[in-house]
Amino acid sequence: DGAMQGPNTAATLELAKAVPTPIIVSGGVSSMADLEAVKQAGEGIFEGVISGRAVYDGRIDPAAAVALLEGS
């Protein structure tokens, strides 16, 4: 977390498919492109996404991120 190098979406997707527990993507989410990649790779399976530092640094606008992830 805080490395700003993108999440490990492939491994997180494998985990989400293997367990019944809702999975939240976190660690390294640093751009709107990362969020788009998570949305596309997740096939609607992820419960949510956490991005702390990128929001704090102004790299991700929360309203734009919600709109992207909710599809509006």
Side-chain angles (χ1 to χ4, degrees):
D1 196 17
M4 309 294 284
Q5 295 185 4
N8 187 341
T9 307
T12 307
L13 183 58
E14 280 186 49
L15 175 65
K17 289 180 176 180
V19 299
T21 306
I23 299 297
I24 298 172
V25 177
S26 66
V29 177
S30 63
S31 68
M32 293 297 288
D34 286 342
L35 294 175
E36 180 66 37
V38 165
K39 181 178 179 178
Q40 288 185 10
E43 305 164 358
I45 197 169
F46 297 129
E47 186 70 21
V49 178
I50 295 173
S51 179
R53 183 172 173 186
V55 172
Y56 178 77
D57 288 348
R59 295 173 191 233
I60 294 177
D61 173 65
V66 169
L68 171 71
L69 295 173
E70 290 184 346
S72 57

